[in-house]
């Protein structure tokens, strides 16, 4: 019988007694006689009995995968991390190479017997050429076992000698340090030695930061300026060594004398670190998987014998099943059983079977010859059958190792796929180590079993290019990220406001309010402070049916509002939405108002109201100078409207003239209001303390109840008057110039109304997306985003809508969803890009919220001081999509108000249809007041 009878490792369905990790299928002989063939049959049966404990079914491997996933979750959890067998240690690597890394980087790689010093140069161009120069230095025992100070002085001296030999003009370098001992890493450049191993035992180092010790040693000379920016282990070096052009490589696997793995985890799931954005490299330390008994039902008698005789019984159980340090010993235990009747002194000697021999024996070409050589070295006269049996033993041990490794790897990629909320994950796995390199079937089995164990993942195994290169790449990536972070911080610092700056904004608005209220200085103020002729808020006694019109954007609404007692249901609304086409919004004014009248007629017809004349409140959300409650002179168009022949005209009169032209019906326009006043009145119906209205949507504005004696533009001393601030124009006189960034100026200059509505352009929904887009262009041009490559879509003005800010900043939104939003803009997005775009959105939105909060603080402090109160309790009625839909805007506004107006207790009440219901309530209040006056 020859090895050609072996069945495929995976693929065809296997008989129930066989398994994907047991290659000795169907090796029983066919004769029952006492001939040599029969003896061979008996030996082969014995061999199969010996190997059966090593055979793991696909179902068993699925169990291993499931248990590995559970162990990984325990390692990632802050609550269970300290008891976890799979430690899941953060490596503080935040990105894999993207191909743009550029420059020269030093590597110190400390090994068992040698120190390797390497200089890696990266071109940073599209081909990313990598050149390396290196030199090895033997590490004497006196250094490895002497004082720690001498070890680090030795490392620094070797580094200087290496650089001196290169005769380079450059003296400034960044360095990555491979330190292969058990450490507690707290940053990429901070790692505390826990314990020495192998032949190293240097005094005075345990418990100290090895980066500081190395940096101090380097700094004792002045020829070179070298900064240690990364301490790396070989597993993460393996992952980082892959060529970026081959696609994402986010998993590293080492199967050598020991075994380990690492991968790029979602940072929010790595609870033992503070970082929650983006990704974080995690070293699993999976060699100790099973130390808690999770693998007990899969341990063979040989595993138990090996463990009991080891230096660390009960520990590193997974490593003892798959790593090169132990495979030879497992085979040795099996051979002592198979050849129990033919024992020799050499065979009885532990360590007589080497892993390198095991790997050669599995080779189809030279394996049998190697088996014969090894058996003879063990003192055995080896028959062909003996050689064949030994080859099967070696294959069984190696393939079981590959199967267990596949189950662990499948757990990792499935974890990545699930936590990224992907339907399918595609990634490369960088693999290194003698077991992988020397055993062709190991790679084949690993690839095929991962496919079966994690069918939702497309995994490609890639031979690593060496941990030295990987350590250099970790250093290069860290350097790239640090340089980008510096650029990002400098850019975004322009939009970050200190408490003192916000206090200045508050004081500036207060000054503008005072100027706007006085008749003699009103023209000097950028805040118009327009009287609305509304002197009362709802008191709950309003009754009747009212019409309301709401014009404030691209849509126009007509509403029938029925106001009854609270017992009767309070306010009931029937409404219909009509569009305002752009050509109407920017055409002749007569066309715009004719369109409005046609919409009213359509609504009344549908509601069976033709012939009725109800009191009407008209919400007109554009700056107006009111001379009475039912008269408003349009001061300017905003929000994209620019209908001709309207500015300077009474809009109520324009509406009445359109009604006459159409001759459909009569209108009783009782009040013209803007949406801000309507919002205050709508909320005032539910909360009598509501004396401020705030809109933060497409545009922004505010109103409040001012003491009539302070309104210098009107006669009268008693009572209160609602003031429409029109604060969107705050800063049009230049008082906010110091707060405008280059991005704000670009947005302003490209707008329909340059130099106007400048405060609105800082905080309202119409402009925030465009501010973000301008910042993204700047960061891309600096190489901080999208690998420096712009998409045509991103260069299109207004393509980045403000709704994207709300979506991108939503709590719990996976980076995959952020990527999807950006990919709609034609961008090729990395995880790091998504994190940075989210940061830009957060900074822009936070600034807008803080500026809004500073302005609200100015208003409520004005009300408090007007009434000479130590403490004011007041409610702000709020409407607008930005305030309502953005996940953090409202909270940030409120927090800013608390900081800047500590003597005001401010409640924010969101309006329910303020621009519609509010207009009707203003009409209702006007009718109530008129009735009282007539009485």
């Amino acid at each position: 019988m020859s090895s050609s009878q072996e069945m495929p490792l995976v693929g065809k369905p296997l008989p129930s007694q066989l398994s994907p990790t047991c290659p000795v299928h169907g090796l029983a002989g066919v004769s029952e006689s006492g001939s040599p063939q029969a003896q061979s049959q008996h030996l082969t049966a014995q061999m199969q009995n010996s190997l059966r404990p090593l055979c793991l079914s696909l179902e068993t491997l699925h169990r291993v995968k499931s248990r590995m996933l559970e162990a990984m979750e325990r390692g990632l959890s802050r609550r269970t991390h300290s008891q976890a067998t799979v430690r899941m240690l953060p490596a503080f690597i935040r990105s894999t190479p993207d191909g743009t890394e550029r420059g020269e980087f030093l590597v110190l790689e400390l090994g068992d017997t040698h120190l390797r010093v390497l200089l890696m140069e990266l071109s940073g161009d599209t081909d990313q050429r990598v050149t390396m120069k290196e030199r090895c230095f033997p590490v004497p025992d006196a250094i490895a076992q002497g004082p720690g100070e001498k070890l680090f002085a030795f490392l620094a001296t070797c580094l200087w000698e290496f650089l001196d030999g290169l005769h380079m003009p450059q003296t400034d370098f960044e360095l990555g340090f491979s330190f292969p001992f058990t450490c507690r890493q707290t940053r990429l450049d901070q790692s505390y030695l826990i314990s020495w191993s192998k032949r190293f035992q240097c005094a005075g180092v345990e418990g100290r930061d090895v980066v500081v010790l190395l940096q101090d040693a380097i700094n004792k000379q002045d020829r070179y300026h070298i900064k240690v920016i990364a301490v790396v282990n070989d597993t993460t070096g393996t992952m980082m060594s892959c060529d970026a052009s081959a696609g994402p490589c986010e998993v590293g696997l080492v199967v050598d004398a020991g075994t380990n793995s690492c991968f790029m985890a979602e940072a929010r799931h790595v609870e033992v670190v503070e970082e929650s954005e983006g990704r974080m490299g995690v070293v699993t330390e999976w060699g100790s998987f099973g130390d808690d008994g999770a693998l007990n039902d899969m341990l063979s008698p040989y595993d138990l014998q090996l463990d009991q005789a080891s230096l660390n019984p009960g520990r590193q159980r997974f490593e003892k099943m798959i790593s090169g340090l132990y495979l030879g010993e497992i085979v040795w235990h099996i051979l002592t059983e198979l050849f129990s009747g033919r024992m020799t002194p050499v065979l009885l000697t532990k360590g007589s079977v080497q892993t390198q021999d095991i790997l050669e024996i599995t080779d189809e070409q030279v394996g049998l010859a190697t088996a014969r050589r090894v058996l003879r070295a063990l003192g055995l006269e080896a028959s062909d059958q003996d050689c064949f049996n030994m080859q099967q033993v070696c294959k069984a041990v190696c393939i079981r190792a590959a199967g267990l490794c596949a189950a662990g790897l499948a757990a990792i990629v499935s974890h990545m796929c699930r936590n990224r909320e992907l339907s399918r994950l595609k990634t490369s796995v960088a693999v290194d180590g003698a077991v992988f390199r020397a055993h062709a079937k190991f790679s084949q089995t690993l690839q095929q079993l991962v496919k079966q164990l994690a069918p939702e993942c497309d995994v490609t195994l890639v031979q690593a290019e060496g941990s030295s290169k990987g350590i250099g790449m970790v250093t290069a990536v860290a350097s790239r990220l640090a340089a980008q972070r510096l650029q990002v911080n400098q850019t975004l610092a322009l939009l970050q406001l200190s408490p003192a700056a916000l206090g200045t904004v508050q004081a500036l608005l207060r000054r503008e309010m005072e100027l706007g209220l006085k008749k003699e200085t009103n023209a000097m103020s950028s805040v118009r402070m327009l009287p609305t002729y509304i002197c009362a808020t709802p008191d709950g006694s309003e009754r009747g049916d009212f019409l309301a019109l709401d014009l404030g954007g691209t849509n126009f609404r007509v509403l029938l509002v029925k106001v009854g007692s609270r017992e009767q249901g309070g306010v009931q609304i029937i409404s219909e939405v009509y569009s305002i086409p752009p050509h109407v919004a920017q055409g002749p004014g007569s066309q715009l108002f004719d369109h409005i009248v046609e919409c009213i007629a359509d609504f009344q017809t549908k509601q069976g109201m033709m012939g009725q004349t109800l009191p009407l409140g008209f919400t007109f959300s554009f700056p107006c100078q009111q001379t009475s409650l039912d008269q408003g002179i349009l001061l300017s168009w905003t929000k994209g409207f620019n209908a001709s022949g309207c500015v300077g005209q009474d809009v109520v009169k324009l509406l009445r003239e359109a009604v006459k032209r159409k001759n459909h019906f009569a209108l009783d326009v009782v009040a013209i209001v803007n949406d801000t006043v309507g919002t205050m009145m709508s909320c005032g119906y539910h909360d009598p303390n509501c004396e401020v209205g705030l809109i933060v949507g497409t545009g922004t504005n505010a109103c409040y109840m001012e003491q009539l004696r302070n309104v210098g533009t009107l006669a009268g001393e008693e009572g209160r008057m609602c003031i429409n601030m029109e604060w969107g124009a705050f800063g049009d006189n230049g008082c906010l110039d110091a707060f405008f960034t280059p991005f704000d100026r670009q947005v302003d200059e490209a707008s329909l109304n340059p130099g106007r509505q400048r405060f609105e352009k800082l905080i309202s929904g119409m402009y925030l997306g465009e501010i973000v887009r301008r910042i993204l262009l700047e960061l891309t041009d600096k190489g901080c985003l999208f690998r420096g490559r712009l998409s045509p879509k991103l260069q299109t003005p207004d393509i980045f809508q403000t709704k994207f800010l709300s979506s991108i900043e939503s709590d719990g939104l996976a980076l995959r969803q952020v990527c999807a939003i950006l990919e709609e803009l034609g961008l090729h997005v990395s995880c790091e890009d998504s994190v940075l775009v989210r940061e830009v959105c957060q900074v822009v939105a936070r600034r807008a919220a803080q500026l809004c909060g500073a302005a609200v603080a100015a208003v409520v402090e004005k009300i408090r001081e007007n009434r000479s109160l130590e403490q004011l309790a007041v409610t702000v009625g709020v409407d607008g999509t930005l305030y309502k839909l953005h996940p953090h805007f409202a909270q940030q506004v409120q927090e800013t108000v608390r900081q800047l107006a500590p003597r005001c207790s401010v409640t924010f009440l969101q309006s329910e249809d303020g621009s519609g219901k509010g207009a009707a309530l203003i009409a209702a209040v006007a009718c109530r007041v008129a009735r009282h006056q007539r009485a």
Side-chain angles (χ1 to χ4, degrees), residues 826-851:
L827 297 164
H828 297 289
V829 185
S830 69
C831 168
E832 293 75 35
D833 291 333
S834 298
V835 172
L836 183 48
V837 171
R838 177 180 275 171
E839 182 181 357
V840 172
C841 292
Q842 288 169 342
V843 169
V844 170
R846 185 187 305 117
R847 181 187 69 156
Q850 290 175 329
L851 287 170

Side-chain angles (χ1 to χ4, degrees), residues 40 67 171 239 295 304 329 383 442 658 729 737 748 753 876-877:
S40 175
R67 294 174 191 179
T171 59
M239 177 181 71
L295 294 176
L304 296 173
E329 192 171 343
S383 67
F442 189 97
D737 282 0
D748 179 47
N753 54 349
V876 177

Side-chain angles (χ1 to χ4, degrees), residues 53 92 170-171 180 192 196 257 297 365 397 449 498 502 504 687 697 717 744 765 777 810 918 922 929:
F92 297 92
Q170 182 178 344
T171 59
Y192 296 88
W196 292 106
D297 57 341
Q365 303 299 318
V397 170
L449 285 177
S498 66
L502 292 170
T504 299
D687 183 346
E717 293 290 327
D744 300 313
L777 289 175
S810 294
I922 289 170
V929 171

Side-chain angles (χ1 to χ4, degrees), residues 556-570:
F556 167 64
R557 287 192 306 155
V558 185
L559 307 93
L560 172 61
V561 181
K562 298 176 178 290
V563 182
S565 66
R566 300 189 192 280
E567 295 76 18
Q568 295 172 327

Side-chain angles (χ1 to χ4, degrees), residues 557-831:
R557 287 192 306 155
V558 185
L559 307 93
L560 172 61
V561 181
K562 298 176 178 290
V563 182
S565 66
R566 300 189 192 280
E567 295 76 18
Q568 295 172 327
V571 177
Q572 299 175 23
I573 299 174
I574 301 170
S575 68
E576 186 153 350
V577 177
Y578 299 88
S579 67
I580 304 286
H583 72 275
V584 173
Q586 298 178 21
S590 58
Q591 182 184 16
L592 171 62
F593 283 94
D594 284 351
H595 179 74
I596 291 171
V597 170
E598 291 290 349
C599 295
I600 298 170
D602 178 75
F603 178 80
Q604 289 191 324
T605 300
K606 290 177 179 177
Q607 300 302 322
M609 295 171 55
M610 292 301 284
Q612 297 184 48
T613 302
L614 298 179
L616 182 145
F618 184 12
T619 297
F620 188 76
S621 304
F622 302 92
C624 286
Q625 175 76 59
Q626 283 190 250
T627 53
S628 66
L629 186 59
D630 65 347
Q631 186 178 65
I633 309 300
L634 177 63
L635 299 176
S636 63
W637 286 115
T638 57
K639 307 175 194 177
F641 276 69
N642 197 23
S644 61
C646 299
V647 174
Q649 300 297 312
D650 176 7
V651 293
V652 175
K653 182 181 178 185
L654 294 176
L655 177 62
R656 287 170 175 157
E657 288 173 351
V659 170
K660 288 181 181 178
R661 282 196 299 273
K662 293 297 182 181
N663 198 26
H664 288 316
F665 49 81
L667 281 183
D668 179 17
V669 182
V670 173
I672 179 171
V673 298
N674 71 9
D675 52 353
T676 316
V677 178
T679 293
M680 182 187 75
M681 297 294 277
S682 174
C683 292
Y685 181 79
H686 301 282
D687 183 346
N689 277 340
C690 184
E691 297 190 67
V692 182
L694 171 64
I695 297 288
V696 196
T698 305
T700 184
N701 196 10
C703 68
Y704 71 103
M705 297 301 291
E706 177 61 86
Q707 302 301 117
L708 188 57
R709 66 177 182 273
N710 294 331
V711 185
T713 54
L714 292 179
E717 293 290 327
E718 296 299 324
R720 298 172 185 169
M721 168 75 72
C722 178
I723 297 296
N724 169 22
M725 295 178 65
E726 291 297 341
W727 78 7
F730 175 36
D732 286 5
N733 59 0
C735 67
L736 288 180
D737 282 0
F739 297 92
F740 270 70
T741 69
F743 313 110
D744 300 313
R745 285 189 282 272
Q746 291 167 17
V747 170
D748 179 47
E749 289 164 5
S751 69
L752 293 174
N753 54 349
R756 293 167 52 197
Q757 297 297 109
R758 300 195 72 190
F759 190 60
E760 182 168 270
K761 289 170 184 172
L762 294 175
I763 71 173
S764 77
M766 177 172 277
Y767 301 100
L768 295 191
E770 180 63 5
I771 295 172
V772 168
R773 187 187 73 87
R774 300 276 180 168
I775 297 171
L776 298 185
L777 289 175
E778 173 89 1
L779 292 177
T780 304
D781 186 59
K782 291 180 176 180
C784 299
L785 269 175
F786 316 129
R787 300 177 69 184
R789 299 170 186 170
L790 289 171
S791 75
K793 273 193 175 181
L794 189 60
Q795 297 179 72
T796 305
D798 301 315
I799 194 71
F800 198 97
Q801 300 172 41
T802 298
K803 68 177 183 181
F804 293 160
L805 275 74
S806 297
S807 299
I808 287 171
E809 289 193 62
S810 294
D811 293 329
L813 186 73
L815 290 177
R816 174 189 63 82
Q817 294 160 296
V818 178
C819 287
I821 291 170
L822 298 174
E823 283 167 358
E824 288 182 14
L825 301 177
L827 297 164
H828 297 289
V829 185
S830 69
C831 168

